[in-house]
Amino acid sequence: MKEKILVTGGTGYIGSHTVVELQNSGYEAVIVDNLSNSSLDVLDGIASITGVKPAFEKIDCCDLQGLETVVKKYPDIKAIIHFAASKAVGESVDKPLLYYRNNLLSLLNLLDLMNKYNIPNLVFSSSCTVYGQPDTLPVTENMPVKPAQSPYGNTKQIAEEIIQDAARADKRLKSVILRYFNPVGAHPSAAIGELPNGVPNNLIPFVTQTAAGIREYLCVFGNDYNTPDGSAIRDYIYVVDLAKAHIAALERLLANGSRQDVEFFNLGTGKGLSVLEILDEFEKATGVKVKRKIAGRRQGDIEKVWADPALANRELGWKAETATQDMLISAWKWEQKSNIVKR
């Protein structure tokens, strides 16, 4: 019998790609999502790739009773992969209470139910925002967690602390916390991808929407950073590579391979690219020009950050392998196929 894995936020961008990898690896995924930033159509996309439509429950993870009905309905859940969260840095500054309530209450509810129903394994979706602007690069897991620059970043820091405290109190609980750098791209089938509501918060959907003519131009926020071309530098990781890291983390937990109750891994390529370099790579890969304008720096933006993924490479047996242009081509294919392209 296939092991059941509960995936919160499983119709979202990273969640849906992870469900694909779960099903391709022989697991049975049960998705919980409130569809606040996703669509039921994603289930059909997952089914078209894997041949299996995953179980789905429309539940808000902040609804403890609703979440408990799911755990009771699927009593043999072996682990939880927790993606469900509000994730826009700018919005979190404007609506901090929404972010604290949504991102932390959902986690507290899950941990309560894991304790009550003896579900011992948790893979948690965290972020490189916990490092702030690091003192040295690349970033290792031993770098200090710095004061958050946004309520969103703070929810990730607090969530990590909550998980560590919960694991100290409940010796059954084991968790792998994955600190993502910048996920980009779409499944090579173009059946699923990043589909932001309204104006995108992330760079790549803004690039593809501008290339498609949906946006008049792309704003490059700052050209006066202390970087080779003046634009900010990030570590861009292909979403399918990122999804595969969750399978490696899950299997480490299920095999009792964790050395500590809570482990942390950076997920990145180990290479930093500037915004202007990404635009150049996109134009080379697709042959499509992207109109851009230079704007002032955004408050809270970090100048440069990229990962040292050596620990994940070694301990999880995982590595980001996809070339930058291939990531960008996948994003462009998804843009062309998805419903947001208006020709």
Side-chain angles (χ1 to χ4, degrees):
M1 192 169 102
K2 293 181 179 179
E3 292 177 310
K4 284 191 177 69
I5 311 299
L6 182 67
V7 184
T8 72
T11 56
Y13 175 41
I14 303 170
S16 60
H17 287 81
T18 300
V19 170
V20 165
E21 297 305 319
L22 276 172
Q23 294 190 165
N24 283 343
S25 299
Y27 295 98
E28 183 177 340
V30 177
I31 294 175
V32 169
D33 204 305
N34 66 1
L35 301 178
S36 63
N37 194 34
S38 59
S39 165
L40 273 178
D41 294 340
V42 172
L43 300 177
D44 294 327
I46 293 169
S48 73
I49 298 167
T50 67
V52 178
K53 193 169 185 176
F56 174 79
E57 303 289 339
K58 187 180 178 184
I59 298 289
D60 190 316
C61 290
C62 292
D63 174 6
L64 179 60
Q65 288 184 318
L67 203 54
E68 188 164 15
T69 64
V70 177
V71 175
K72 288 179 178 177
K73 184 175 178 180
Y74 304 94
D76 49 351
I77 292 168
K78 299 299 183 185
I80 296 175
I81 305 179
H82 183 39
F83 294 104
S86 300
K87 62 175 187 175
V89 171
E91 182 186 51
S92 78
V93 175
D94 296 330
K95 301 175 180 178
L97 299 185
L98 182 151
Y99 272 67
Y100 286 113
R101 184 177 297 110
N102 192 38
N103 293 6
L104 299 179
L105 181 57
S106 59
L107 174 62
L108 292 170
N109 286 345
L110 277 176
L111 291 170
D112 274 339
L113 293 174
M114 291 177 73
N115 179 280
K116 183 175 180 179
Y117 291 94
N118 193 25
I119 303 170
N121 301 306
L122 175 67
V123 179
F124 180 70
S125 167
S126 191
S127 167
C128 67
T129 58
V130 302
Y131 296 115
Q133 179 59 64
D135 296 325
T136 58
L137 290 167
V139 180
T140 70
E141 290 80 0
N142 294 325
M143 295 283 189
V145 170
K146 292 193 171 184
Q149 298 190 19
S150 70
Y152 163 74
N154 204 25
T155 65
K156 291 301 184 184
Q157 291 185 8
I158 295 169
E160 289 188 0
E161 293 171 355
I162 289 170
I163 292 168
Q164 290 177 88
D165 287 342
R168 277 190 283 267
D170 180 358
K171 296 305 180 184
R172 297 170 300 172
L173 178 61
K174 302 287 183 184
S175 180
V176 172
I177 293 175
L178 301 176
R179 292 170 171 167
Y180 311 160
F181 281 69
N182 289 60
V184 297
H187 194 271
S189 66
I192 56 174
E194 187 172 10
L195 189 61
N197 290 335
V199 179
N201 291 293
N202 296 333
L203 175 62
I204 300 306
F206 222 117
V207 171
T208 58
Q209 288 187 20
T210 304
I214 295 169
R215 308 285 166 194
E216 184 181 353
Y217 58 85
L218 179 141
C219 278
V220 177
F221 294 108
N223 66 343
D224 57 351
Y225 286 108
N226 182 26
T227 61
D229 63 21
S231 64
I233 291 175
R234 298 290 183 270
D235 187 335
Y236 296 93
I237 178 173
Y238 184 41
V239 66
V240 176
D241 288 340
L242 183 66
K244 290 177 179 177
H246 292 75
I247 311 308
L250 172 70
E251 292 181 341
R252 183 176 178 86
L253 289 169
L254 294 177
N256 295 314
S258 297
R259 293 181 182 175
Q260 297 94 30
D261 293 338
V262 181
E263 293 186 302
F264 301 85
F265 295 102
N266 290 337
L267 298 183
T269 65
K271 177 184 177 183
L273 290 170
S274 74
V275 173
L276 293 177
E277 284 176 321
I278 284 288
L279 292 175
D280 289 344
E281 290 290 317
F282 179 85
E283 291 181 348
K284 287 177 192 173
T286 64
V288 181
K289 293 293 183 183
V290 180
K291 187 176 179 182
R292 81 280 304 260
K293 287 188 177 181
I294 303 298
R297 298 185 187 188
R298 286 188 303 191
Q299 184 179 5
D301 270 355
I302 292 166
E303 182 172 86
K304 50 191 171 185
V305 65
W306 60 90
D308 179 348
L311 186 66
N313 296 165
R314 183 175 70 249
E315 295 296 327
L316 297 180
W318 166 90
K319 188 175 182 180
E321 297 178 327
T322 306
T324 302
Q325 288 197 6
D326 291 336
M327 303 181 206
L328 298 173
I329 288 170
S330 74
W332 181 231
K333 282 176 62 180
W334 164 250
E335 182 70 51
Q336 292 175 299
K337 184 176 178 180
S338 67
N339 293 329
I340 61 173
V341 175
K342 297 178 176 62
R343 297 194 177 277

